[in-house]
């Protein structure tokens, strides 16, 4: 129990280090610098090269935006992002990190843009990962995130035991 608590503390500490202290947000038509904990759903955040994304956001403007999603996906290469929504082709699986979304804790490595905040804090993708590492969902029924296809029908007895 002590080891698990220690690892959970490490995970939450690492999560807090991946954010910056303040970010520019559009409020009442003006760019205002606010502390990251004050960013709420519905805010429009202004992103630039070097910024750490403060929350999960849907891009509404993107000018050559590239993001390092290594903290989230492990992908070593920067990922190009766009504000354009691409239509999903029939039979095509849903992407884990859509091209019009940027995620909390990821660094903007190129370009500038604006995004509409969808999720903050522990509700973000990286926050949910931290909860899983910390064991924060114990005792609650497991909720499917919908980001991966449901393969529970093909689960082996060992996989069923683990769930």
């Amino acid at each position: 129990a002590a080891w698990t608590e220690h690892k959970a503390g490490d995970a939450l500490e690492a999560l807090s280090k991946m954010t910056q202290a303040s970010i520019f947000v559009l409020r009442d038509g003006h760019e205002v610098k606010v502390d990251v904990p004050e960013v709420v759903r519905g805010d429009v955040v202004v992103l630039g090269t070097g910024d750490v994304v403060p929350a999960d956001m849907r891009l509404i403007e993107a000018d050559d935006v590239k993001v390092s999603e290594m903290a989230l996906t492990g992908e070593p290469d920067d990922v190009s992002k766009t504000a354009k929504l691409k239509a999903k082709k029939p039979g095509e699986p849903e992407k884990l990190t859509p091209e019009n979304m940027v995620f909390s804790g990821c660094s903007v490595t190129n370009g500038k843009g604006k995004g509409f905040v969808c999720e903050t804090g522990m509700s973000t993708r990286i926050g949910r990962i931290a909860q899983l590492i910390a064991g924060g969902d114990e005792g609650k029924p497991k909720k499917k995130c919908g980001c991966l296809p449901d393969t529970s029908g093909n689960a082996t007895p060992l996989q069923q035991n683990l769930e």
Side-chain angles (χ1 to χ4, degrees):
W3 176 252
T4 304
E5 191 172 323
H6 171 71
K7 294 303 276 181
D10 288 350
L12 294 174
E13 186 177 328
L15 180 61
S16 68
K17 286 181 181 176
M18 289 181 353
T19 61
Q20 61 193 35
S22 59
I23 193 85
F24 284 100
V25 175
L26 283 179
R27 294 210 174 139
D28 297 325
H30 304 317
E31 279 190 26
V32 180
K33 193 170 193 174
V34 299
D35 293 336
V36 168
E38 293 177 20
V39 173
V40 296
R41 288 178 71 177
D43 274 342
V44 175
V45 175
V46 180
L47 295 172
T49 303
D51 286 340
V52 177
V53 180
D56 288 0
M57 303 187 319
R58 185 167 311 279
L59 292 174
I60 54 175
E61 287 181 24
D63 183 21
D64 197 28
V65 174
K66 289 188 179 180
V67 177
S68 172
E69 293 183 343
M70 187 179 292
L72 185 64
T73 65
E75 176 68 38
D77 298 328
D78 295 343
V79 180
S80 293
K81 297 293 183 172
T82 179
K84 296 177 182 150
L85 185 61
K86 286 190 176 179
K88 184 180 162 193
K89 297 174 185 155
E92 184 179 52
E94 188 176 324
K95 293 184 113 183
L96 291 177
T97 57
E99 292 176 1
N100 65 336
M101 294 282 296
V102 289
F103 299 97
S104 179
C106 297
S107 300
V108 179
T109 58
N110 191 57
K112 59 184 178 178
K114 293 179 184 171
F116 182 78
V117 175
C118 302
E119 297 291 344
T120 61
M122 295 304 276
S123 297
T124 61
R125 295 233 177 136
I126 199 80
R128 286 185 275 171
I129 291 169
Q131 281 179 329
L132 290 172
I133 291 170
D137 286 342
E138 291 176 16
K140 295 181 185 174
K142 288 193 176 183
K143 180 182 168 193
K144 303 283 185 194
C145 71
C147 57
L148 294 173
D150 183 14
T151 58
S152 59
N154 301 341
T156 65
L158 176 62
Q159 289 170 325
Q160 290 171 348
N161 259 352
L162 291 174
E163 289 184 6

